[in-house]
């Protein structure tokens, strides 16, 4: 048997799979587009044109859902001419956000039009065919404080047309009913008032395919919404809802026969004392739901002292959940230890361990140590650093150390040497 501990590692390459911590972010569909960096020969003239055509006091802005570029270049209407879309901010005007479309004409970029955005922040920009006509549409989300509104634009022959507008908390461009035609699903939430999910599809205008309007609105907010495969060959939406500042639950929604259906309700099965982001944790293309579980032997300890494991489960395609993988994730996001699925319920944490002081991971049946994490003062580190400890980094006045070598016997008499380096996250080097 083999214990596979996956932690990020910048230093030496090791024979372990790596794990990456991610923030609580909404996932948007990939955007089919070219961006300015891909226009190497034309980039200078494009930037010159943008800077000369936008107001002098304005600044280019990028959407919150894209940390890569504020310039989108693509043939929007498939007429063989490249267009560039940019947004800029004019802070001291009544209308603050503006979009501008430029078109390539021979060796120059010319301004085709400018349009106003209804908001003070640019929340999202997606460029995708959502009407099924083979041309690319522009989907833009604007926000003003907590209020958000999306607009679908069609650009053709120098004319921009608004096709669809809708308030939203999150919108998803996908194919929920899996008919080969894209659709837009809008999640709209207002605390203690409503929580709705509506799927629209274009057919001579955007029309409602189905709507869920009876979801429980009595929670704090959605801290994560992700769409994609929720079971083998099944698209869906996973919604992580914060009950309060710490606890949360998860809901899974799919569409069958053009009807939205809650297949995993937000109830005791998916409740967790600490927020966990649902994601494809094992890289198989299917989104897992994260649950918080105490290690064996910790069931009756004070919840604030328990070094919980994050256990991830998949929807089974019916009405239940099946185990996928497990990890220990430091509550302050400084490191992760991932265990191979076959070691589920075989590894625990010594009950003498103390959060932010020392953690000892042991075999539940034998008590053998497989990994340790300790927080040292500088003096303690100087005394112990040559005892097999690896320095992960510093956190405030503490040095975080790790060691994890063990000759682990298997039933066949073989020995597997386990070396477990850890990468820290969010601490000072």
């Amino acid at each position: 048997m083999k214990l596979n501990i996956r932690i990020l590692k910048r230093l030496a390459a090791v024979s372990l799979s790596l794990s990456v911590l991610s923030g609580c972010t909404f996932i948007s569909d990939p955007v089919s587009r070219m961006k300015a960096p891909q226009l190497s020969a034309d980039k200078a003239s494009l930037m010159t044109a943008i800077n000369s055509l936008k107001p002098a006091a304005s600044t280019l802005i990028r959407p919150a859902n894209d940390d890569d570029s504020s310039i989108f270049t693509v043939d929007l209407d498939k007429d063989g001419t490249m267009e560039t879309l940019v947004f800029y901010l004019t802070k001291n005007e009544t209308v603050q956000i503006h979009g501008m479309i430029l078109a390539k004409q021979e060796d120059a970029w010319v301004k085709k039009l400018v349009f106003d955005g209804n908001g003070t922040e640019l929340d999202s920009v997606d460029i995708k065919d959502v009407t099924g006509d083979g041309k690319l549409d522009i989907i833009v989300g604007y926000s003003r404080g907590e209020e958000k509104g999306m607009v679908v634009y069609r650009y053709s022959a120098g004319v921009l047309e608004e096709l669809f507008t809708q308030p939203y908390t999150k919108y998803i461009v996908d194919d929920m009913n899996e008919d080969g035609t894209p659709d837009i699903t809008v999640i709209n939430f207002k605390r203690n008032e409503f929580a709705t999910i509506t799927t629209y599809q274009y057919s001579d205008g955007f029309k409602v395919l189905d709507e869920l309007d009876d979801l429980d609105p009595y929670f704090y907010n959605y801290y994560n919404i992700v769409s994609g495969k929720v079971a083998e060959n099944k698209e869906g939406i996973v919604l992580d809802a914060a009950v309060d500042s710490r606890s949360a639950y998860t809901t899974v929604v799919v569409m069958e026969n053009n009807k939205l259906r809650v297949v995993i309700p937000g109830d005791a099965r998916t409740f967790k004392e600490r927020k966990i982001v649902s994601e494809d944790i094992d890289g198989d293309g299917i989104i897992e739901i994260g649950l918080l579980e105490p290690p064996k032997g910790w069931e009756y300890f004070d919840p604030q002292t328990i070094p919980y494991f994050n256990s991830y489960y998949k929807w089974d395609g019916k009405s239940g959940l099946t185990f996928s993988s497990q990890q220990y994730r430091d509550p302050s996001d400084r490191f992760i230890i991932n265990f191979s699925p076959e070691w589920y319920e075989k590894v625990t944490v010594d009950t003498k361990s103390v959060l932010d002081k020392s953690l000892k991971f042991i075999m539940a049946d034998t008590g053998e140590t497989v990994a340790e994490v300790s927080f040292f003062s500088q003096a303690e580190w100087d005394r112990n650093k040559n005892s097999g400890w690896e320095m992960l980094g510093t956190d405030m006045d503490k040095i975080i150390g790790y060691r994890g070598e063990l000759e682990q016997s298997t039933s066949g008499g073989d020995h597997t040497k386990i070396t477990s380096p850890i990468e820290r996250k969010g601490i000072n080097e």
Side-chain angles (χ1 to χ4, degrees):
M1 293 189 293
K2 180 181 178 183
L3 174 63
N4 181 6
I5 303 179
R6 290 193 302 161
I7 312 291
L8 281 174
K9 182 67 178 173
R10 292 196 195 110
L11 305 175
V14 294
S15 58
L16 293 174
S17 55
L18 301 182
S19 174
V20 180
L21 282 173
S22 62
C24 300
T25 55
F26 292 144
I27 296 180
S28 297
D29 295 322
V31 178
S32 301
R33 65 181 179 227
M34 293 177 63
K35 297 181 181 179
Q38 295 174 286
L39 307 173
S40 55
D42 199 32
K43 183 177 179 180
S45 62
L46 175 59
M47 289 305 304
T48 298
I50 291 170
N51 289 327
S52 65
L53 292 170
K54 72 180 183 66
S58 66
T59 55
L60 285 180
I61 55 175
R62 65 183 60 193
N65 76 330
D66 190 332
D67 58 3
D68 187 22
S69 179
S70 57
I71 301 172
F72 309 90
T73 300
V74 69
D75 183 1
L76 287 169
D77 52 4
K78 302 298 182 182
D79 65 351
T81 298
M82 299 299 288
E83 285 86 24
T84 287
L85 168 68
V86 295
F87 290 86
Y88 58 85
L89 185 68
T90 54
K91 285 188 176 180
N92 297 323
E93 296 183 1
T94 302
V95 178
Q96 297 187 22
I97 295 179
H98 311 269
M100 179 170 63
I101 295 178
L102 298 80
K104 185 71 180 293
Q105 292 185 0
E106 296 181 352
D107 294 329
W109 289 92
V110 299
K111 180 169 66 177
K112 302 300 291 186
L113 58 86
V114 171
F115 59 98
D116 295 337
N118 184 20
T120 56
E121 295 181 4
L122 186 63
D123 187 60
S124 59
V125 176
D126 292 282
I127 300 178
K128 200 175 184 93
D129 177 13
V130 292
T131 60
D133 63 357
K135 299 177 182 180
L136 295 174
D137 306 296
I138 303 169
I139 308 103
V140 183
Y142 304 103
S143 64
R144 190 185 303 275
E146 293 185 357
E147 296 181 359
K148 295 182 180 181
M150 64 166 294
V151 183
V152 178
Y153 301 98
R154 171 190 285 158
Y155 175 82
S156 181
V159 177
L160 191 70
E161 177 186 3
E162 286 190 10
L163 299 180
F164 182 61
T165 62
Q166 193 72 22
Y168 75 98
T169 297
K170 168 68 179 173
Y171 69 82
I172 294 166
V173 180
D174 207 331
D175 182 12
M176 285 289 290
N177 62 352
E178 301 179 88
D179 66 349
T181 301
D183 46 51
I184 299 176
T185 299
V186 177
I187 296 96
N188 203 9
F189 167 77
K190 188 170 183 179
R191 185 181 180 186
N192 297 333
E193 293 188 24
F194 57 80
T196 64
I197 301 176
T198 311
T199 300
Y200 301 86
Q201 194 168 53
Y202 188 85
S203 178
D204 192 25
F206 281 94
K207 296 179 172 57
V208 174
L209 277 179
D210 194 33
E211 180 177 30
L212 291 175
D213 58 5
D214 57 352
L215 297 174
D216 178 10
Y218 300 103
F219 57 91
Y220 188 73
N221 66 1
Y222 288 120
Y223 65 91
N224 178 60
I225 300 174
V226 59
S227 67
K229 296 293 183 187
V230 294
E232 192 72 28
N233 301 317
K234 190 62 183 175
E235 295 289 322
I237 301 171
V238 182
L239 305 103
D240 294 326
V243 178
D244 49 35
S245 62
R246 288 182 57 85
S247 60
Y249 62 79
T250 299
T251 302
V252 180
V253 175
V254 302
M255 176 170 274
E256 297 174 346
N257 300 317
N258 287 343
K259 294 292 183 183
L260 292 167
R261 183 167 76 90
V262 176
V263 293
I264 298 294
D267 57 20
R269 285 184 300 170
T270 63
F271 179 82
K272 39 251 179 184
E273 292 287 350
R274 189 167 68 225
K275 287 183 279 190
I276 302 174
V277 173
S278 296
E279 57 185 316
D280 178 13
I281 198 74
D282 59 4
D284 68 348
I286 299 174
I287 301 164
E288 283 89 22
I289 296 171
L291 301 180
L292 210 59
E293 297 181 349
K296 277 186 176 180
W298 288 83
E299 291 82 357
Y300 302 107
F301 279 67
D302 179 352
Q304 301 300 317
T305 69
I306 297 175
Y308 285 102
F309 286 163
N310 285 16
S311 297
Y312 292 87
Y313 293 81
K314 290 181 176 70
W315 176 47
D316 64 6
K318 299 175 183 177
S319 59
L321 298 170
T322 58
F323 174 79
S324 175
S325 61
Q326 189 175 73
Q327 65 180 206
Y328 175 79
R329 183 182 293 250
D330 174 60
S332 297
D333 280 348
R334 293 166 293 195
F335 59 89
I336 325 169
I337 300 177
N338 288 341
F339 305 103
S340 294
E342 60 267 25
W343 286 80
Y344 179 54
E345 295 186 336
K346 295 180 181 178
V347 176
T348 186
V349 179
D350 191 316
T351 54
K352 300 184 192 67
S353 298
V354 180
L355 287 172
D356 289 334
K357 289 189 177 180
S358 65
L359 295 172
K360 184 180 289 188
F361 298 87
I362 62 174
M363 302 302 299
D365 56 350
T366 66
E368 291 180 276
T369 301
V370 295
E372 293 178 87
V373 175
S374 285
F375 293 72
F376 297 94
S377 67
Q378 184 62 59
E380 290 169 337
W381 177 253
D382 291 340
R383 290 196 302 270
N384 289 277
K385 62 184 178 182
N386 295 322
S387 302
W389 290 97
E390 176 187 354
M391 180 176 173
L392 303 179
T394 60
D395 189 10
M396 304 296 288
D397 61 343
K398 295 293 185 180
I399 294 172
I400 301 177
Y402 171 83
R403 64 182 179 187
E405 287 194 355
L406 174 70
E407 292 292 335
Q408 179 63 42
S409 298
T410 65
S411 57
D414 296 330
H415 296 274
T416 301
K417 189 175 183 179
I418 302 165
T419 306
S420 308
I422 298 180
E423 167 89 359
R424 66 273 187 217
K425 180 71 175 178
I427 58 178
N428 299 324
E429 305 215 4

